[in-house]
Amino acid sequence: MGNRLLSALFASAALVATGGLAEAKTVVHVMHQGDPGWVKAYGDVAARFEAANPDVDIEMIYAPHDAYNEKFSAAVMAKQLPDIMELDAPFLANYVWSGYLQPVKPLIDKDLLDDMTDSNIAQGTYPIDKDLYAIGLTDSSVVLYGNKKYLEAIGARIPKSVDDAWTREEFEGYLEKLSKLEGVKWPIDTFRGYGIKTEWITYAYGPLLESAGCDLIDRKTWKATGTLDGEACVKALTMMQDWVKKGWVVPTSSGTNQFYAEGQPAALAMGGHWFYAEASAAMKDNIVVMPLPKIGDKGVSPNGTWIWGISATSENPEIAGKFLSFLLKDKEYREYAKTQSAYPGLKSFAAGSPLYAEGGPLAVAFEQASKTAIARPPHPAYPTITSAFMQAVDKIFNSGDAQEALTAAAKKIDEDIEDNAGYPPFDEQQ
């Protein structure tokens, strides 16, 4: 195996000589993100693939999670796209529209394609041609975690399914009661500590706002003005700003683990499915998993995660597809994913994940996928949409005027779409 952790961009040679021998290996470059555990898991799979395919060298290119898009843009500018790239699902439309990805159906083993959940298919599908451009072992969701001891102390109702999620009145009532409960420093951790360099704000807060009747953009006209800065969004963001002003939300400066930190100072946590592994290990039976609250007439939850695509410029797409198929079937990779409470995107993986089966501790998270999950706007302007929205939320949470911040964000989004002539053929969807 070659250098697995290149921190810089790679040399573009497709073939390399080995050990002075005449025999040459085909090199497949794989760009990815992930914490150290996932990085090791990917590297181990690459080693096993190389052992089974001694004529192939897999070069793993690591890019930090919060700088991934900048690294990818640098690769685009240098015309050095990897053969395989990990991508955050809501950015797929932009990457396909820009010509960076190719359809993967002809390249991935058919049994894997048949194994995909509907949500997994949705996150990898380009809305214009309905073709599949990426695939993953996993999908994702966000749930409401609760400290059982604190919830029982205030007499809170604990929902058992998506259908009986807390209403806004219940949610805010419990936050107020928790704020006065001894031992609770903050009623809820919304993971403000993730900052605005990741997708967290759009991914996790967007569904609460959509539940309240808001959306980031009108999904028929693809105009943000009149929607993102409309009355429903202003009211919803003002509601969340009020939670912050009352001191109910863990501040950015306090990090991202106050729910299960020493003394358990946060009573609730609006966290991703990946949060469960660490939180349950620390809290044992004192953790409960609930659906996201229903702020308005309907419940909404997020989906979409980091999935794998093959670049349009790959000189070895068949081998790239062979490696991805190998990765997604690899038993040890799947076992590691289970330890991280990975959210199933393949039916066979779901069948082997007792966390998400009926009666499992994360069953309600999997229930959300079929009942309340709504994807982020699948539009080429998504990078601008999410960036503008996250900056607006950050201003509002720091006491900025909600109407003013959202109007500025909507204007920025519409200007980007206009500057790109409506991103044809998306303009024809109106």
Side-chain angles (χ1 to χ4, degrees), residues 402-427:
Q403 180 70 72
E404 184 178 312
L406 292 173
T407 296
K411 182 180 178 183
K412 187 175 182 179
I413 294 167
D414 287 345
E415 286 178 349
D416 177 85
I417 294 174
E418 290 170 11
D419 289 346
N420 288 279
Y423 287 95
F426 279 83
D427 58 332

Side-chain angles (χ1 to χ4, degrees), residues 51 54 65 167 227:
H65 180 84
T167 64
T227 297

Side-chain angles (χ1 to χ4, degrees), residues 292-341:
L292 289 177
K294 195 165 60 173
I295 302 300
D297 294 335
K298 62 179 182 180
V300 180
S301 63
N303 76 334
T305 190
W306 288 80
I307 47 183
W308 301 97
I310 297 174
S311 69
T313 56
S314 173
E315 296 182 2
N316 301 288
E318 290 80 14
I319 299 175
K322 185 176 180 180
F323 174 70
L324 283 185
S325 297
F326 185 93
L327 169 73
L328 298 175
K329 293 179 181 179
D330 187 86
K331 290 182 180 178
E332 293 178 53
Y333 170 54
R334 289 190 176 202
E335 286 303 314
Y336 177 74
K338 285 181 189 176
T339 68
Q340 302 302 299
S341 60

Side-chain angles (χ1 to χ4, degrees), residues 231-250:
E231 183 180 2
C233 289
V234 172
K235 283 186 175 180
L237 261 304
T238 301
M239 170 192 71
M240 295 188 74
Q241 183 188 58
D242 189 48
W243 300 346
V244 174
K245 286 181 176 178
K246 289 178 176 175
W248 291 353
V249 179
V250 174

